[in-house]
């Protein structure tokens, strides 16, 4: 799927000049409608994708294959449904004198105040940024079940330089800042707030939980819980740590432990239940992360639920719908 990512990253930057106002807060600026510019019409979006595929592909067969992939993941019926049912906007906000990009998704026809989910994405730097395609797969189906979703791209993402991301360092403040905006979202219930994250976003979720006071429940998807042990499963991750984590060379163990919830599981609140989802064939973040974490949660009497998807990968592609339904059930039960 890497071959399709570049276009989506460029697209979200140019999400049009069509203004949208879902957050009435002085620190929120440049709010834009997600369903605008090339995304204002499905056929326009698909035609743009076809041009992109043809430019990069050497054969018609490859173009057909890529379009088939696009249609299976982002079909017109799905697009029209989400555009009809959801409001979505991107925005910018300042943290530490840095302009950070975020997004908010909200059902249109809500008759009462809705619970809010703070979503933490995976990846690092520009890799893994949240774009319309990933929203359609991972966020829109959950928001459409009666949740407002707000998230951060993390500092430096979707800019010419992505060197600001500290992989669980100061970027945690970018997520914590979102909690200031929730009361300014019309129709948001600030007393019912949950948080969830995927991959690196699982780490972010646990770190942010230490800073905020009003969380009712959390969930992680293929989350990393012990970065040191994780290097034995996937040594290549050290390249990311060396690039992203400040003072890594001189304070390696201290910095890894700071970001490893298993090292401070005894400090977690028993009032915040945790849902863990993981594929057993995950090559990026071993399923052992969630298994070991679940054992530690049991030892410390912290309520949780572990769901393993047999032979599924890091993105839970074989069980995407099932995983989304589990997340919806979890937060409807606890928020």
């Amino acid at each position: 799927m890497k071959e399709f990512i570049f276009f989506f990253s460029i697209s979200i930057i140019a999400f049009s000049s069509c203004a949208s106002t879902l957050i009435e807060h002085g620190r929120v600026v440049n709010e834009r409608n997600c369903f605008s510019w090339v995304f204002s019409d499905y056929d326009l979006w698909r035609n743009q994708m076809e041009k992109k595929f043809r430019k990069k592909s050497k054969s018609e067969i490859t173009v057909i294959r890529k379009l088939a992939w696009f249609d299976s993941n982002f079909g017109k019926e799905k697009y029209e449904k989400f555009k009809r049912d959801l409001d979505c906007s991107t925005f910018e906000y300042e943290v530490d004198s840095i302009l950070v990009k975020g997004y908010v998704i909200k059902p249109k026809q809500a008759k009462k105040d809705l619970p809010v989910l703070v979503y933490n994405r995976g990846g690092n730097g520009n890799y893994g940024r949240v774009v319309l395609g990933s929203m359609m797969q991972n966020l829109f189906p959950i928001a459409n079940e009666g949740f407002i979703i707000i998230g951060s791209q993390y500092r430096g993402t979707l800019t010419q330089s992505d060197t600001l991301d500290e992989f669980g360092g100061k970027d945690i403040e970018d997520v914590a800042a979102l909690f200031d905006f929730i009361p300014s979202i019309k129709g948001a219930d600030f007393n019912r707030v949950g948080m969830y994250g995927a991959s690196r976003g699982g780490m972010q979720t646990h770190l942010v939980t230490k800073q905020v006071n009003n969380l009712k429940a959390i969930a992680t998807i293929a989350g990393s819980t012990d970065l040191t042990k994780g290097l034995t499963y996937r040594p290549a991750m050290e390249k990311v740590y060396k690039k992203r984590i400040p003072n890594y060379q001189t304070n390696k163990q201290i910095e890894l432990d700071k970001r490893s919830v298993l090292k401070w599981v005894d400090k977690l609140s028993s009032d915040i239940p945790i849902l863990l989802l993981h594929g057993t064939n995950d090559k990026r973040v071993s399923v052992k992360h969630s298994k070991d974490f679940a054992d530690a949660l049991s030892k410390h009497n912290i309520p949780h639920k572990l769901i393993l998807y047999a032979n599924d990968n890091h993105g839970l592609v074989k069980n995407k719908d099932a995983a989304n339904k589990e997340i919806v059930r979890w937060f409807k039960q606890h928020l």
Side-chain angles (χ1 to χ4, degrees):
M1 302 308 172
K2 290 182 180 179
E3 57 209 279
F4 309 122
I5 290 176
F6 178 75
F7 173 76
F8 287 133
S9 67
I10 297 299
S11 299
I12 199 169
I13 297 173
F15 253 169
S16 95
S17 58
C18 183
S20 176
T21 305
L22 299 181
I23 305 178
E24 295 281 0
H25 194 284
R27 288 170 59 196
V28 172
V29 298
N30 300 327
E31 193 171 350
R32 307 294 186 208
N33 188 350
C34 297
F35 293 104
S36 50
W37 190 64
V38 69
F39 301 109
S40 63
D41 177 81
Y42 180 80
D43 292 330
L44 179 63
W45 181 23
R46 189 181 187 278
N47 289 340
Q48 188 69 28
M49 290 302 302
E50 183 175 0
K51 291 178 183 178
K52 189 74 176 181
F53 296 155
R54 291 191 182 281
K55 184 176 180 180
K56 286 195 166 188
S57 302
K58 297 181 179 180
S59 69
E60 184 66 19
I61 293 177
T62 302
V63 173
I64 292 172
R65 177 178 62 81
K66 290 181 177 180
L67 282 173
W69 170 86
F70 180 83
D71 291 338
S72 66
N73 285 276
F74 315 108
K76 186 171 186 176
E77 183 178 353
K78 181 187 293 186
Y79 167 90
E80 295 290 354
K81 173 179 173 59
F82 289 140
K83 184 179 178 182
R84 180 185 69 244
D85 295 345
L86 299 172
D87 284 321
C88 176
S89 67
T90 62
F91 60 90
E92 294 179 315
Y93 60 106
E94 188 174 292
V95 184
D96 298 334
S97 300
I98 299 169
L99 207 56
V100 183
K101 299 180 187 297
Y103 50 88
V104 60
I105 305 161
K106 176 184 172 183
K108 287 182 178 179
Q109 303 300 326
K111 297 180 180 179
K112 59 182 180 180
D113 288 352
L114 298 177
V116 180
L117 300 179
V118 177
Y119 176 71
N120 295 313
R121 70 168 182 88
N124 69 94
N126 280 321
Y127 177 74
R129 60 269 183 193
V130 176
V131 293
L132 189 69
S134 55
M135 285 180 179
M136 285 185 64
Q137 289 186 306
N138 302 320
L139 302 183
F140 288 173
I142 293 172
N144 214 33
E145 293 297 324
F147 296 94
I148 294 172
I149 296 178
I150 188 170
S152 175
Q153 301 282 12
Y154 313 143
R155 59 188 61 194
T157 304
L158 293 167
T159 63
Q160 291 183 340
S161 172
D162 70 350
T163 59
L164 297 176
D165 182 4
E166 296 183 357
F167 204 80
K170 292 181 180 179
D171 45 279
I172 295 301
E173 301 300 329
D174 303 340
V175 181
L178 298 176
F179 287 77
D180 296 336
F181 307 147
I182 293 175
S184 300
I185 303 173
K186 185 177 181 180
D189 188 343
F190 190 63
N191 294 312
R192 292 191 292 159
V193 179
M195 182 163 52
Y196 73 114
S199 191
R200 173 263 184 90
M203 175 189 71
Q204 302 286 101
T205 296
H206 294 303
L207 289 169
V208 176
T209 301
K210 298 166 70 174
Q211 296 193 23
V212 297
N213 299 315
N214 62 320
L215 276 174
K216 301 296 185 183
I218 65 176
T220 63
I221 306 158
S224 177
T225 61
D226 187 334
L227 274 65
T228 300
K229 187 178 288 186
L231 288 174
T232 67
Y233 310 139
R234 191 184 177 198
M237 276 303 294
E238 188 146 40
K239 294 180 181 179
V240 175
Y241 301 160
K242 288 179 178 178
K243 179 180 180 180
R244 297 290 175 192
I245 299 176
N247 304 314
Y248 182 77
Q249 299 285 21
T250 55
N251 295 303
K252 174 179 176 178
Q253 199 58 57
I254 292 174
E255 295 300 330
L256 292 181
D257 288 353
K258 283 182 184 177
R259 293 162 170 80
S260 301
V261 66
L262 264 175
K263 300 298 182 181
W264 31 273
V265 64
D266 58 314
K267 302 297 193 298
L268 298 179
S269 172
S270 60
D271 295 327
I272 304 177
I274 302 172
L275 172 66
L276 306 171
L277 306 178
H278 219 125
T280 63
N281 195 34
D282 191 335
K283 303 300 185 183
R284 292 179 175 268
V285 178
S286 171
V287 68
K288 293 178 183 179
H289 282 276
S290 288
K291 288 182 175 180
D292 290 347
F293 188 40
D295 289 341
L297 292 173
S298 295
K299 180 180 178 181
H300 290 88
N301 298 312
I302 297 173
H304 66 282
K305 181 179 182 181
L306 172 65
I307 300 177
L308 303 179
Y309 295 100
N311 300 315
D312 211 345
N313 65 8
H314 188 58
L316 299 181
V317 295
K318 297 178 182 178
N319 294 276
K320 179 63 67 178
D321 290 341
N324 284 341
K325 288 177 182 178
E326 287 290 349
I327 292 169
V328 168
R329 278 194 290 267
W330 183 255
F331 286 118
K332 284 194 172 183
Q333 176 183 353
H334 294 289
L335 298 185

